[in-house]
Amino acid sequence: MKKKKGMILSLTVASSILLAAGCSSSTGGSSDAGKEKEGLPAVGATIYKFDDNFMSYVRRAMEDTAKGKVNLMLNDSQNDQAKQIEQIDTLIAKGAKSLAINLVDPKAAQTVVDKAKTKNIPVIFFNKEPDESVLKGYDKAYYVGTTSSESGVIQGELIAKAWEANKDKWDKNGDGKIQYVLLKGEPGHPDAEARTKFAVDTIKEKGIQVEELALDTAMWDATKATEKMDAWISKYNDTIEFVIANNDGMALGAIASLEKAGYFSGDKFMPVVGVDAIPEALEMIEKDKMVGTVLNDAKNQGKATIELATNAANGKDVLEGTEWKLDDKKAVRVPYVEITKENIQVGKDAYK
Ligand code: GAL
Ligand code: CA
């Protein structure tokens, strides 16, 4: 009986999230009035924008983990930092006992901490890592995410291995170097910066020479990536030998562009790699349109975020009863995993 009531309530929450996401009101989407539900403590949360492929999976894991444990008040910050700050003010006013914040701009972390600190409210930042000094400056501030550089290293290793095995075909001009184009995520985002640097550095460390034909941001976005790739194909045409994308969304956008230009039919091929291992990218790997990707474990990051925020809201040690560990920066770091056709099931399991 009790369970049923919980389910009806969470359906109400889900439908109000949908309603809120649909209407772009000036304050952005807020999933609920924030009243204490069945005695559950309130956790106030923001996602930088709901319209981000990877974050939609993190969000789902957060909602699943929150069910029956906390009253999750989840906001779509619509990629607007000022809007997010207003949402945080509202969440605090509504009685949030802890905050789970996916910043729009990583530089806004101190402002968020300043607000939480005055009310002694714990803050779990997730996905966009704030500066170390911000976490150090507030004993109730934590981070849940990854080690950004690790995804770049793994992607670089994947590229080097695939290149070594296929260079007879892939080194089109036979100069021994990889002529690549790189689709970067949001500039200033720790993941985008680290993936860009460490992917290329790792290829070089493996003894493979590279030549950058083009590098530009497509803001993690498939449509923007298609536009960039269209322009690069018309400018560089067949001299491009590799497409490196900071995430799968942009890799998929590049593939759409490559398909228009006749790639992936007959023997016209282009190696493409990404990061995240979202289901659409795994499909591309299975169809041999993507060489591989790097699993960014949305499910465990969403789960860890809510588990820490739940403990914090209940006044407990954030790690109590969880499988997570904090490093010396007060961060929980979920590992990245290389994904190719051989271990594709690992990616599928993480996103099911
Ligand atoms: C990254 C992810 C990207 C994008 C970004 C948003 O970790 O790989 O696809 O979702 O976070 O901050
Ligand atoms: Ca070459």
Side-chain angles (χ1 to χ4, degrees), residues 65-119:
T65 311
K67 262 176 216 154
K69 290 198 206 104
V70 286
N71 168 22
L72 180 63
M73 303 186 279
L74 187 58
N75 286 250
D76 177 2
S77 301
Q78 299 170 358
N79 211 18
D80 180 339
Q81 188 57 61
K83 177 171 287 178
Q84 182 172 80
I85 296 296
E86 282 171 27
Q87 291 171 335
I88 291 169
D89 285 335
T90 306
L91 289 168
I92 293 174
K94 282 177 174 174
K97 297 277 182 288
S98 70
L99 295 170
I101 304 298
N102 173 214
L103 295 161
V104 176
D105 176 359
K107 297 258 169 304
Q110 191 58 56
T111 310
V112 175
V113 160
D114 291 344
K115 285 181 183 294
K117 215 173 180 177
T118 53
K119 300 265 154 91

Side-chain angles (χ1 to χ4, degrees), residues 48-49 52-56 58 102-104 126-128 143 146 148 151 185-186 189 191-192 195 219-220 246-250 275-276 278 294 296 301 336 351:
Y48 91 102
K49 61 170 185 171
D52 173 296
N53 211 327
F54 171 74
M55 292 312 300
S56 69
V58 176
N102 173 214
L103 295 161
V104 176
F126 64 102
N127 172 260
K128 286 191 195 178
Y143 177 63
T146 60
S148 298
S151 48
E186 189 192 341
H189 188 308
D191 289 348
R195 287 173 194 171
M219 301 298 283
W220 305 120
N246 276 177
N247 79 340
D248 287 343
M250 296 186 293
V275 175
D276 283 342
I278 54 172
V294 182
N296 189 9
Q301 289 172 60
Y336 285 106
Y351 275 86

Side-chain angles (χ1 to χ4, degrees), residues 142-299:
Y142 304 89
Y143 177 63
V144 173
T146 60
T147 303
S148 298
S149 58
E150 189 181 78
S151 48
V153 171
I154 293 174
Q155 195 188 46
E157 286 169 353
L158 195 162
I159 294 167
K161 260 188 280 175
W163 177 263
E164 286 301 341
N166 295 284
K167 60 185 173 198
D168 295 355
K169 289 170 281 165
W170 293 359
D171 186 11
K172 289 186 240 170
N173 65 353
D175 68 350
K177 294 182 192 167
I178 308 179
Q179 274 75 25
Y180 69 89
V181 295
L182 194 148
L183 289 158
K184 188 175 173 179
E186 189 192 341
H189 188 308
D191 289 348
E193 298 301 336
R195 287 173 194 171
T196 300
K197 178 183 186 326
F198 286 92
V200 176
D201 284 359
T202 304
I203 303 169
K204 290 190 210 155
E205 272 165 31
K206 299 278 166 195
I208 300 168
Q209 287 183 289
V210 294
E211 184 188 341
E212 180 185 292
L213 296 180
L215 182 156
D216 204 350
T217 179
M219 301 298 283
W220 305 120
D221 183 75
T223 310
K224 289 195 177 80
T226 303
E227 285 162 18
K228 281 277 166 270
M229 198 64 216
D230 285 350
W232 290 342
I233 291 173
S234 54
K235 187 164 178 198
Y236 302 104
N237 205 349
D238 275 347
T239 59
I240 305 171
E241 294 178 342
F242 223 111
V243 178
I244 306 173
N246 276 177
N247 79 340
D248 287 343
M250 296 186 293
L252 294 168
I255 290 168
S257 166
L258 288 161
E259 280 177 331
K260 281 190 290 181
Y263 284 87
F264 309 114
S265 77
D267 55 8
K268 209 166 149 75
F269 180 75
M270 178 72 75
V272 178
V273 292
V275 175
D276 283 342
I278 54 172
E280 299 92 315
L282 298 178
E283 242 174 70
M284 290 297 155
I285 294 173
E286 283 184 317
K287 289 182 180 158
D288 291 319
K289 290 183 186 180
M290 246 174 103
V291 171
T293 186
V294 182
L295 170 65
N296 189 9
D297 192 336
K299 203 197 255 178

